């Protein structure tokens, strides 16, 4: 009869030692997984669920987002970015809004238009918000500090934002909306990203 080699292996360890080795390997796997997942969760990205309609129609209630926490460690937030941040009045609460004004700029709202004044545009320019349908109520100009941002929800008529409670300090920003996972039909990368064209 022909002798064939099926490539099988047999453990030389007793049964109890094999069980101990398996559990030790399982513990090592769990520890390594935690060592990778926990820093990723704390420093790179974390999940959030949208609550409310302040960003509608860009984001709807109960949509599931992954927020990128790393990018703003390497570069500054940009106008048009959708960010998640700690509410300045209550640090335990998280809000999601769009960045409208950048540090050291003056933002004024008049005649339903947002005007930005900065060092490059000393006479100011009207923000191109062709994606918006709401009319804005006039608001006295607000000048931002060197680390402050002016934010508003896309559903302007239903948004509680910088028009009500002022600027967002950079230290309060958690990160930018990076991935929308749920619902699957709306899944996308950098959802809500808008590049203003008139700067």
């Amino acid at each position: 009869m022909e002798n064939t080699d099926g490539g099988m292996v047999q453990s030389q360890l007793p049964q109890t030692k094999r069980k101990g080795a398996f559990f030790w390997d399982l513990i090592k796997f769990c520890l390594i997984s935690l060592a990778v997942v926990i820093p990723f969760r704390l420093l790179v990205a974390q999940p959030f669920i949208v609550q409310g309609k302040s960003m509608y129609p860009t984001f709807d209630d109960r949509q599931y987002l992954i927020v990128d926490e790393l990018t703003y460690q390497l570069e500054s937030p940009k106008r048009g970015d959708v960010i998640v941040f700690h509410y300045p009045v209550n640090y335990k609460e998280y809000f999601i809004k769009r960045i409208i004004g950048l540090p050291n700029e003056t933002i004024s709202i008049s005649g339903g238009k947002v005007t930005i004044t900065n060092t490059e545009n000393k006479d100011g320019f009207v923000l191109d918000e062709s994606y918006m349908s709401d009319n804005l109520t006039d608001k006295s100009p607000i000048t931002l500090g060197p680390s402050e941002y002016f934010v508003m929800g896309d559903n302007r008529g239903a948004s509680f934002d910088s028009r009500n409670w002022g600027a967002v300090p950079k230290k309060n920003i958690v990160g930018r909306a990076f991935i929308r996972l749920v619902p699957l039909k709306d899944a996308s990368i950098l959802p809500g990203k808008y590049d203003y064209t008139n700067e």
Side-chain angles (χ1 to χ4, degrees):
M1 188 177 198
E2 186 177 345
N3 186 15
T4 59
D5 180 4
M8 296 177 66
V9 294
Q10 184 176 2
S11 173
Q12 299 300 307
L13 292 173
Q15 188 72 17
T16 54
K17 286 190 176 179
R18 276 187 279 162
K19 283 184 180 176
F22 169 77
F23 284 117
W24 176 239
D25 286 343
L26 185 62
I27 289 170
K28 285 194 291 186
F29 174 78
C30 290
L31 290 173
I32 291 169
S33 296
L34 288 173
V36 172
V37 170
I38 289 175
F40 182 86
R41 167 68 174 75
L42 292 176
L43 303 173
V44 179
Q46 66 174 295
F48 284 91
I49 296 175
V50 177
Q51 295 181 334
K53 297 280 191 178
S54 77
M55 285 297 291
Y56 184 82
T58 310
F59 296 97
D60 208 347
D61 190 43
R62 308 302 298 167
Q63 290 188 337
Y64 189 91
L65 307 176
I66 300 297
V67 172
D68 161 22
E69 299 179 285
L70 185 60
T71 296
Y72 294 154
Q73 306 301 319
L74 306 173
E75 61 184 56
S76 296
K78 296 178 176 60
R79 193 185 328 279
D81 287 357
V82 175
I83 62 169
V84 169
F85 57 93
H86 295 278
Y87 174 36
V89 179
N90 182 354
Y91 200 80
K92 293 179 181 178
E93 293 183 26
Y94 294 94
F95 280 14
I96 180 170
K97 306 290 178 191
R98 186 181 299 279
I99 293 178
I100 300 298
L102 302 174
N104 300 313
E105 291 184 333
T106 298
I107 296 89
S108 58
I109 301 171
S110 180
K113 301 289 186 183
V114 177
T115 301
I116 307 288
T117 305
N118 54 29
T119 53
E120 294 82 23
N121 300 276
K122 296 191 183 301
D123 294 328
F125 66 91
V126 175
L127 206 57
D128 173 16
E129 294 190 297
S130 51
Y131 66 95
M132 293 293 308
S133 59
D134 290 345
N135 288 322
L136 289 169
T137 304
D138 289 1
K139 177 79 177 166
S140 299
I142 178 173
T143 299
L144 302 171
S147 297
E148 293 182 333
Y149 295 83
F150 188 90
V151 299
M152 287 196 282
D154 287 355
N155 186 6
R156 299 286 165 79
S159 178
F160 182 59
D161 51 39
S162 287
R163 293 170 295 171
N164 307 100
W165 37 257
V168 176
K170 185 176 182 183
K171 65 180 182 180
N172 285 43
I173 298 176
V174 175
R176 63 179 179 167
F178 182 60
I179 300 174
R180 174 169 32 211
L181 290 178
V182 176
L184 289 177
K185 67 181 180 63
D186 294 326
S188 57
I189 295 176
L190 292 177
K193 181 174 175 58
Y194 185 82
D195 291 321
Y196 291 99
T197 58
N198 58 352
E199 293 188 59

